[in-house]
Amino acid sequence: MLWRPEEHVPLTRQEWDPDTARDAIAEIVADAEAAADDGTWPNHPLDEVAQDERYCSVYLGGAGMIWGLHKLGSSIDVTTALSAVLRRYRASAAGEEAEHPPSLLLGETGILAVAQKLNAPVADQGRLADLVRANREHETWELLFGSPGTMIAARACGLAHEWRDSAELLYNHWDPSTDMWTHDLYGEIRPFLGAGHGFASNVQALRGYVDDDVLRARVTRLLTRTAHYEDGLVNWAPMNRPWSEQEPTIRVQWCHGAPGMIITLADLMPPDLAISGGELTWRAGPLRKGSGLCHGTAGNGFAFLKLYELTGDPSWLDRGRRFAMHAISQVARDRRHYGRGRYTLWTGDIGAALYVKACLDADPAFPITDMF
């Protein structure tokens, strides 16, 4: 089985309506603005984090929310909010955020990169460069904690030397015999394939440093070898291990599985693989977990926008927009159930709103990793 039906839900019957889409974006932005508290937002029960903590990061915290709101045209005071976020982070970083300041998605690198991209006075390019350099050989070799994440920050913020220095080390660590990296993550070697922690995002970080033809050859070898086919559809297991060992953990998400492969590598993989992975994403349907980017309906929907860009076939844009309508319904459902929004960029309502806007604009750029 290429996906687990219990992870997915039937697609809403509501057709694409641009006015409904714009209204949903405005409602999400207004709700987030009203819930802001000194640059942070309350945690949500679905994120399974401490309810009495206030996070600061790009992934679950204030920096990601501020960046997303800015991209959506919010009038939030970026200067004041980012000053508060950075002050809070440095005083008492919470939980996993305290473990590794150079992390793009969980640490200070992400906060400083947002500050620089939004021209906030707390931006500190020197400190950001130091963090990027300190992270060049982090043992995870993946997006969340490692150099692929800090390379994205360096490239977005004009740190060309630091980006190229990290890229050289990342490329040299790429094993030509397996076409993989070794990801020492959470105390265990985990040969992840996907966008969240593995191969796909590493390749994306190397764009511009390694020639596309070289990337394409190595991507094609690995993704062809690790693809699992059934009835004209294709998916990838989370790790570079036999499919039979991983069936209980199979995912169809941005972080693990076909959607993330397409979002990061569609133009570098054989077109038939990309299209078959897109058909799988459509057939599986929206994710039960929610509307967000990392492991939600919005994240999967970006695969359709990438395929529209790749093929020019308007049916992919239509499918993406149907997923957007479903994500809107999920945001509204969860707000009714919990009596509040879900205030994160990667798992919550702002990520969904950015996806809805992307469907309005027919823009396939994925937040942060494609478009910072």
Side-chain angles (χ1 to χ4, degrees):
M1 183 174 291
L2 291 178
W3 76 92
R4 294 182 293 156
E6 66 272 16
E7 294 278 321
H8 300 265
V9 294
L11 181 66
T12 179
R13 295 183 179 181
Q14 187 173 4
E15 297 292 334
W16 170 250
D17 179 6
D19 290 334
T20 298
R22 293 186 187 96
D23 289 345
I25 293 170
E27 185 175 348
I28 289 169
V29 168
D31 178 62
E33 289 173 338
D37 179 16
D38 200 25
T40 61
W41 281 260
N43 291 335
H44 196 280
L46 290 174
D47 287 315
E48 299 179 348
V49 294
Q51 295 300 291
D52 59 343
E53 298 283 4
R54 292 296 181 96
Y55 286 86
C56 304
S57 67
V58 168
Y59 186 81
L60 281 182
M65 286 292 295
I66 294 163
W67 180 88
L69 283 167
H70 178 78
K71 290 294 181 182
L72 293 167
S74 170
S75 59
I76 188 171
D77 184 343
V78 168
T79 293
T80 301
L82 281 170
S83 294
V85 166
L86 192 59
R87 183 173 60 251
R88 179 185 290 268
Y89 175 83
R90 288 174 173 171
S92 58
E96 198 170 47
E97 290 188 327
E99 294 180 5
H100 190 54
S103 168
L104 169 67
L105 295 183
L106 295 180
E108 187 177 345
T109 288
I111 301 169
L112 290 175
V114 169
Q116 184 154 331
K117 293 299 293 182
L118 303 190
N119 297 313
V122 293
D124 184 342
Q125 193 173 48
R127 169 65 175 163
L128 181 58
D130 288 344
L131 290 169
V132 172
R133 286 192 293 268
N135 212 41
R136 293 176 303 170
E137 297 182 86
H138 192 259
E139 66 272 13
T140 57
W141 298 105
E142 51 80 63
L143 177 70
L144 189 73
F145 292 109
S147 64
T150 39
M151 286 168 61
I152 289 172
R155 183 161 49 190
C157 295
L159 296 170
H161 175 76
E162 286 77 9
W163 170 71
R164 293 186 66 84
D165 187 34
S166 293
E168 180 180 10
L169 291 166
L170 180 64
Y171 183 63
N172 289 339
H173 195 71
W174 194 0
D175 184 352
S177 67
T178 64
D179 289 311
M180 282 291 296
W181 282 269
T182 54
H183 306 298
D184 187 346
L185 191 62
Y186 302 118
E188 181 182 343
I189 301 299
R190 301 169 187 253
F192 281 122
L193 294 172
H197 294 290
F199 170 87
S201 287
N202 288 19
V203 172
Q204 188 179 36
L206 287 170
R207 290 178 185 267
Y209 179 79
V210 180
D211 186 82
D212 276 0
D213 288 340
V214 174
L215 295 178
R216 188 171 290 110
R218 297 183 74 166
V219 165
T220 296
R221 281 199 303 268
L222 182 69
L223 295 195
T224 301
R225 174 170 61 81
T226 54
H228 192 79
Y229 296 87
E230 288 181 19
D231 300 325
L233 308 177
V234 67
N235 198 9
W236 288 267
M239 289 189 278
N240 182 26
R241 290 174 180 164
W243 181 270
S244 59
E245 296 178 8
Q246 298 183 80
E247 280 195 300
T249 64
I250 295 304
R251 299 286 188 271
V252 182
Q253 301 173 173
W254 169 80
C255 48
H256 300 294
M261 293 297 193
I262 295 164
I263 289 164
T264 50
L265 303 176
D267 61 319
L268 297 176
M269 68 170 71
D272 63 311
L273 278 184
I275 291 169
S276 296
E279 292 290 351
L280 166 79
T281 305
W282 176 251
R283 186 84 62 85
L287 281 157
R288 184 180 299 277
K289 292 178 180 178
S291 62
L293 295 173
C294 183
H295 38 263
T297 299
N300 283 20
F302 269 104
F304 304 135
L305 301 184
K306 288 284 186 177
L307 288 167
Y308 174 60
E309 178 186 49
L310 182 72
T311 67
D313 182 347
S315 68
W316 291 114
L317 179 59
D318 292 341
R319 288 178 173 187
R321 287 172 166 172
R322 287 290 305 280
F323 264 48
M325 298 305 290
H326 194 96
I328 289 169
S329 72
Q330 287 178 303
V331 169
R333 178 205 64 195
D334 287 347
R335 186 178 295 138
R336 287 193 301 269
H337 180 78
Y338 291 98
R340 43 153 299 184
R342 190 173 181 180
Y343 307 115
T344 74
L345 173 59
W346 284 83
T347 65
D349 304 350
I350 288 296
L354 287 165
Y355 173 62
V356 175
K357 184 178 186 300
C359 286
L360 283 165
D361 300 338
D363 182 357
F366 196 81
I368 302 297
T369 58
D370 283 337
M371 172 266 294
F372 205 143

